[in-house]
Amino acid sequence: MSKVLVLNASYEPLNICSWRRAVVLILKGKAEKVEHNGKLIYTNLHLPTVIRLRYFVRIPYKEISLSRRNVLHRDNYTCQYCGARRHDLTIDHVVPRSRGGGDTWDNVVAACLRCNVEKGDRTPAESRMQLQKKPWRPFSPVYFEITKHGDSDQYQWHKYIAWS
């Protein structure tokens, strides 16, 4: 089913909801339609793809936990050394822990077992292995929520979301 991006009154992305929930919020006057895809639900109501709340909702900052699952999701389940998409990926420390590298978003990447063993207890430069993409800290929990929907046809969302 179609998903709808929910924006705060300040146009900051809050979350994603179902199209039914979005229509209810619009009909109750709690939200307004910002974007739609042209499909009609009722005779005079287009199917929304982006809605904005009419009131500001204060959301406390939520830190995204550093976990294996989140690192693999951030790296799109792809080895950051050879680019292979595999099911048996491991987590590799760019700067090894034995050399002072910590468990931080900027120091861990997804790696296939072969590349992880080949790199060993060395830095990528020492092992002559280049990272496909520099590791980064996800800036928003909404980013993970949006990327879970994969090949979404929600091209309208891109102008409301700051991608890294």
Side-chain angles (χ1 to χ4, degrees):
M1 290 310 299
S2 182
K3 296 292 183 182
V4 179
L5 178 65
V6 180
L7 303 175
N8 211 340
S10 61
Y11 287 90
E12 174 188 9
L14 284 180
N15 67 353
I16 297 169
C17 70
S18 69
W19 70 268
R20 289 178 189 222
R21 176 72 178 138
V23 169
V24 168
L25 289 171
I26 291 168
L27 293 176
K28 285 187 170 184
K30 294 183 177 187
E32 63 186 10
K33 179 175 46 187
V34 177
E35 302 271 349
H36 64 84
N37 62 3
K39 296 178 184 173
L40 284 172
I41 302 173
Y42 302 112
T43 54
N44 62 351
L45 184 62
H46 289 279
L47 183 66
T49 55
V50 180
I51 63 171
R52 183 180 75 92
L53 296 178
R54 292 188 185 271
Y55 52 90
F56 185 80
V57 177
R58 185 170 152 77
I59 305 289
Y61 176 73
K62 183 181 174 190
E63 182 87 17
I64 300 172
S65 63
L66 177 65
S67 66
R68 179 178 188 277
R69 183 173 156 198
N70 286 344
V71 170
L72 293 177
H73 183 76
R74 178 200 65 186
D75 293 342
N76 199 23
Y77 297 91
T78 305
C79 175
Q80 295 302 296
Y81 295 107
C82 67
R85 286 188 61 109
R86 302 184 52 133
H87 68 282
D88 60 344
L89 293 175
T90 61
I91 300 300
D92 179 57
H93 289 78
V94 178
V95 177
R97 285 189 283 187
S98 63
R99 298 193 182 186
D103 291 326
T104 62
W105 281 104
D106 302 329
N107 192 46
V108 294
V109 294
C112 65
L113 188 58
R114 186 180 63 81
C115 289
N116 203 346
V117 169
E118 185 179 331
K119 179 180 167 282
D121 194 26
R122 299 175 289 179
T123 64
E126 293 171 346
S127 61
R128 294 193 176 107
M129 297 175 75
Q130 189 171 2
L131 284 168
Q132 303 274 325
K133 221 177 353 178
K134 186 176 184 250
W136 50 277
R137 171 185 289 277
F139 47 87
S140 166
V142 178
Y143 169 80
F144 274 142
E145 194 63 34
I146 290 167
T147 55
K148 282 180 190 172
H149 294 289
D151 298 332
S152 173
D153 61 343
Q154 309 299 348
Y155 61 90
Q156 295 101 343
W157 292 5
H158 293 285
K159 57 180 126 172
Y160 302 103
I161 299 160
W163 302 99
S164 65

